[in-house]
Amino acid sequence: MAIRHNNVISNNHFHKKWQTRVKTWFNQPARKYRRHQKRIIKARTVAPRPTSALRPVVRCPTFKYNTKQRFGRGFTLEELKAAGINRYFAATIGIAVDHRRRNKSTESLQMNVQRLKEYKSKLILFPKKLSNPKKGDSSAEEVKMATQHTGVVMPMKDTFKPEKARAITDAERKHSVFQSLRMARSNAKLFGIRAKRKKEKEEAANQTKPKKGK
């Protein structure tokens, strides 16, 4: 509650018995070691499968961050269908599935479908019975070559290429960005009024035009 009127400013003593409210963090190195040991145990348990699942590449939400890309929770059902992978089978071969996410652009759909197809081409699928391999299972030679993948599965590639320095042209010197933005804003604002006036002008011209046969 805020202080009102001309009263004495309260001098709260928050430093009393501070020792009882101190939170130490001396177990941080031990926790780090424990997490590392758990990762090692998990990798041995799931071997020769990869330690992490394949994730889709998605755009960050909101206008401020939508130019950036990051890994999403899982692939949509539409992406899996386009890649020809069953949603239940995908979870068994290390592909993360997110049934809530929706595709809102063709570009992201095609990019993640291509990502799935590339993963599928590199995948070595162990048969349940080595003596009786099923359709789609890898051969015995490929199974022997299999090694466990650690870290991020198919990390994002940085496709940014910086533009080389060059001389400024005369057209660029004469071009006014402020003027262009001002004109674009004005055109957008007056678009409806101009279209209405044009339509009224055409209707008036049609009415004044003499009819044929008179």
Side-chain angles (χ1 to χ4, degrees):
M1 188 175 175
I3 298 166
R4 296 176 67 191
H5 310 300
N6 189 20
N7 297 326
V8 178
I9 297 169
S10 59
N11 185 16
N12 298 322
H13 299 278
F14 289 117
H15 286 228
K16 287 179 181 177
K17 297 181 181 178
W18 62 270
Q19 294 93 340
T20 58
R21 291 191 292 272
V22 169
K23 181 167 175 62
T24 58
W25 198 239
F26 300 133
N27 60 346
Q28 191 176 15
R31 281 188 176 185
K32 182 182 178 182
Y33 177 74
R34 187 171 66 188
R35 287 196 302 271
H36 178 63
Q37 292 301 111
K38 281 189 173 182
R39 283 196 293 270
I40 291 170
I41 293 164
K42 182 189 174 183
R44 285 175 184 167
T45 308
V46 301
R49 288 174 288 179
T51 54
S52 57
L54 179 72
R55 305 276 176 188
V57 177
V58 297
R59 292 274 173 190
C60 297
T62 71
F63 180 76
K64 186 178 180 181
Y65 298 107
N66 69 355
T67 54
K68 294 186 178 181
Q69 290 182 329
R70 64 170 176 81
F71 286 121
R73 183 186 180 89
F75 290 90
T76 62
L77 303 180
E78 193 180 355
E79 288 166 354
L80 291 167
K81 189 177 180 181
I85 302 169
N86 184 277
R87 60 184 291 192
Y88 301 109
F89 179 66
T92 63
I93 58 172
I95 297 171
V97 182
D98 184 10
H99 64 90
R100 295 182 185 87
R101 189 166 69 84
R102 299 284 180 270
N103 290 102
K104 293 193 175 181
S105 68
T106 313
E107 289 80 6
S108 68
L109 174 67
Q110 289 174 348
M111 181 172 61
N112 284 321
V113 168
Q114 188 60 37
R115 190 173 166 79
L116 283 167
K117 286 179 179 177
E118 189 182 343
Y119 176 78
K120 201 175 175 184
S121 66
K122 294 178 180 178
L123 188 69
I124 297 173
L125 197 62
F126 280 55
K128 286 186 177 180
K129 285 186 178 180
L130 292 169
S131 58
N132 185 22
K134 299 286 178 71
K135 186 184 177 183
D137 293 341
S138 300
S139 61
E141 291 79 16
E142 288 177 331
V143 169
K144 286 177 184 177
M145 289 166 61
T147 55
Q148 188 179 32
H149 181 83
T150 55
V152 179
V153 180
M154 290 174 64
M156 283 189 288
K157 295 173 185 175
D158 189 14
T159 55
F160 174 74
K161 291 182 180 178
E163 194 176 340
K164 291 182 179 178
R166 57 179 177 80
I168 300 168
T169 60
D170 294 331
E172 287 174 341
R173 285 183 195 279
K174 292 174 183 176
H175 179 68
S176 173
V177 178
F178 174 77
Q179 186 66 23
S180 301
L181 286 169
R182 203 174 165 85
M183 286 298 295
R185 193 159 51 237
S186 178
N187 290 337
K189 186 180 179 182
L190 300 171
F191 177 79
I193 298 165
R194 286 172 179 170
K196 186 182 176 184
R197 284 177 186 169
K198 188 180 177 183
K199 190 179 178 182
E200 287 173 355
K201 194 176 180 181
E202 286 175 357
E203 285 175 357
N206 290 334
Q207 286 175 1
T208 55
K209 196 182 288 183
K211 293 181 180 180
K212 291 181 179 180
K214 285 188 179 179

